[in-house]
Amino acid sequence: MTVYLRSLETAVPPTILVQPEARAVFAAQPGLTRLGSRLVNTCFDSAAIDTRHTAVEELTKDSRAENPQFFDPATGLVLSPSTKIRNGIFATEATKLFIEAAQKALDACPGIDAPEITHLITVSCTGFFNPGPDYKIVRALGLNPAVQRYHLGFMGCYAAFPALRAAKAFCEADTEATVLVVCAELCSLHVRTSNDPDTIMGSALFADGAAAAIITARDIPGGPALLRLDHFETVLTPVGEDSMAWNIGDEGFEMVLGNYVPHIIDDHIIGALEPLLSRDSSLQGLPYRDIQHWGIHPGGRSILDKVQSRLDLSDEQLVPARETLRNYGNMSSATVLFVIRHILDLPAADGGGSTGSQTSQSGPGEERICSMAFGPGLTVETALFTRLAAPRSAAAARQELAEPAEPAEPVSVQA
């Protein structure tokens, strides 16, 4: 059975962090050692990030909170609220992002109404509350109260793929299933000042954002499918269990992101891809750069550098990942969906991969996407998709739905 992704939309909080301004704040903290100050400047400057979004309005220099909890602009101090305070903000602000992304995914999917959603999968590793985001989405969007709800919590940056894989399995088991997947992360809730290199790296990289997708095998009149969900695979690298982790501390969640992670990925990325590519005979032995699109989770600039070098990918193939990192930072599980959204927004190619090849299982106008994300363990999740057509933008789809039809005039639609 063929399962399709019918819409994929993103959402971010309105508050923007400008990287040089954030660096200046963190570098000026009084508790930093000389080495810590040097690390702040190095990590922020080398992150290849221009802007990030945050749900914490206090983290900007223009904030005028009466009782600041994260940043006091009067003193310039980055504060350390308790995990309880951070999690309370998550319950409020993450709910907004979950609902916004989910609503946008529905709006961008003509032919599917909210009550038709049969399964709902929510994903987050940056906070907890119950009734959770799945419940909030059901109430806010008017989903069927009997919708099957699932939450994937605390898995980390790779969690979008287990969610999509589960959605595919639901659709394969039930031909009438229509699954809404929503990832939302508020990583900025857990930033704090420290001399610890992992904490500094997290402060330089992480951000907030959400993405939502609708997946079904149903034939939906009025809206083209964007992606075919082909295959998913999971690989645990033989080393790296202690190099990437996500723990709960008294003053927020604590990231372990060792500087050896890019080297582990460099050593094991070829082996991690083998199970995925072996699922498609047309890809076996094919140079990696002949797979047209690469949707790589931008865990950091050095990780992208290692993947590009090891797989001999072109600069063009890394643009979706690098531009997502540059404009949004690392939003944990939602990030790779931003990368895929970027790929979907690219103009349709005339055919073939970056070197003119095209896999044998792709039809006219179809382009393959190999995607991967990394997380604690060290876990490598991989996915193979087929881009089916150059999609309309969500705004165009919504405008078409809102405009009255004029049947007397012939309508010409161009890709």
Side-chain angles (χ1 to χ4, degrees):
M1 179 183 297
T2 305
V3 179
Y4 298 104
L5 183 146
R6 295 283 179 172
S7 68
L8 175 59
E9 298 297 321
T10 62
V12 291
T15 301
I16 297 175
L17 295 177
V18 179
Q19 190 77 343
E21 295 176 359
R23 178 203 61 210
V25 168
F26 278 86
Q29 297 307 300
L32 287 179
T33 63
R34 289 181 61 187
L35 175 59
S37 180
R38 208 158 54 236
L39 283 173
V40 167
N41 286 292
T42 299
C43 290
F44 276 75
D45 288 345
S46 64
I49 294 172
D50 291 342
T51 56
R52 293 176 283 166
H53 290 256
T54 176
V56 184
E57 295 181 11
E58 287 182 25
L59 291 178
T60 64
K61 63 181 182 180
D62 297 327
S63 171
R64 294 294 181 268
E66 184 175 343
N67 297 301
Q69 296 175 315
F70 287 83
F71 176 65
D72 185 352
T75 62
L77 292 178
V78 176
L79 309 177
S80 294
S82 67
T83 300
K84 179 179 180 179
I85 289 174
R86 297 176 197 258
N87 196 66
I89 296 173
F90 176 87
T92 300
E93 298 301 324
T95 295
K96 298 176 184 177
L97 273 187
F98 271 110
I99 292 171
E100 179 183 352
Q103 185 65 66
K104 289 172 72 174
L106 276 171
D107 291 345
C109 196
I112 294 180
D113 296 324
E116 296 178 76
I117 300 297
T118 60
H119 299 71
L120 172 61
I121 304 172
T122 54
V123 179
S124 189
C125 68
T126 48
F128 302 92
F129 63 97
N130 203 2
D134 50 327
Y135 176 92
K136 301 292 186 180
I137 290 171
V138 170
R139 292 303 192 194
L141 271 63
L143 303 189
N144 187 334
V147 64
Q148 296 185 35
R149 296 181 284 133
Y150 304 87
H151 181 71
L152 300 183
F154 220 68
M155 297 185 77
C157 294
Y158 62 81
F161 286 159
L164 293 178
R165 184 171 57 234
K168 183 174 185 285
F170 289 144
C171 294
E172 290 171 336
D174 179 359
T175 58
E176 295 302 310
T178 301
V179 186
L180 173 60
V181 173
V182 193
C183 301
E185 305 285 8
L186 302 190
C187 304
S188 70
L189 281 177
H190 304 289
V191 300
R192 59 192 180 280
T193 183
S194 172
N195 289 296
D196 175 66
D198 290 348
T199 302
I200 292 172
M201 182 61 72
S203 299
L205 283 175
F206 285 99
D208 304 348
I214 292 179
I215 294 96
T216 186
R218 294 168 49 201
D219 182 21
I220 307 297
L226 306 183
L227 292 177
R228 186 176 70 226
L229 306 187
D230 296 325
H231 305 292
F232 295 90
E233 291 290 343
T234 302
V235 171
L236 301 181
T237 60
V239 295
E241 182 176 349
D242 298 327
S243 297
M244 188 183 293
W246 190 224
N247 303 311
I248 298 177
D250 292 334
E251 296 177 344
F253 297 174
E254 300 170 352
M255 166 58 68
V256 176
L257 188 62
N259 58 15
Y260 196 64
V261 168
H263 301 284
I264 296 173
I265 292 173
D266 187 37
D267 290 342
H268 298 284
I269 190 64
I270 299 294
L273 282 170
E274 285 179 359
L276 179 75
L277 300 182
S278 67
R279 301 284 296 274
D280 187 332
S281 60
S282 68
L283 300 180
Q284 295 182 35
L286 194 72
Y288 297 110
R289 66 162 52 209
D290 281 6
I291 300 173
Q292 185 161 353
H293 300 293
W294 285 82
I296 303 165
H297 167 67
R301 192 212 66 194
S302 58
I303 289 176
L304 294 179
D305 291 346
K306 290 293 186 182
V307 171
Q308 180 175 8
S309 175
R310 176 61 69 181
L311 302 182
D312 189 30
L313 302 179
S314 68
D315 290 343
E316 182 181 6
Q317 288 170 309
L318 267 291
V319 166
R322 293 195 190 277
E323 286 300 301
T324 297
L325 182 65
R326 183 176 306 282
N327 296 324
Y328 298 101
N330 184 339
M331 301 165 285
S332 193
S333 69
T335 318
V336 73
L337 298 180
F338 276 67
V339 176
I340 295 170
R341 179 67 259 179
H342 187 118
I343 294 172
L344 289 173
D345 288 336
L346 294 173
D350 292 333
S354 61
T355 60
S357 299
Q358 181 73 347
T359 61
S360 61
Q361 293 191 12
S362 297
E366 298 181 356
E367 303 165 5
R368 304 308 289 275
I369 303 172
C370 189
S371 191
M372 66 184 75
F374 319 97
L378 186 67
T379 302
V380 182
E381 288 280 349
T382 59
L384 190 64
F385 308 118
T386 300
R387 179 188 178 193
L388 299 175
R392 298 169 298 170
S393 68
R398 285 191 289 271
Q399 184 177 2
E400 289 173 14
L401 289 174
E403 291 177 348
E406 298 181 6
E409 297 291 332
V411 178
S412 174
V413 178
Q414 297 181 349

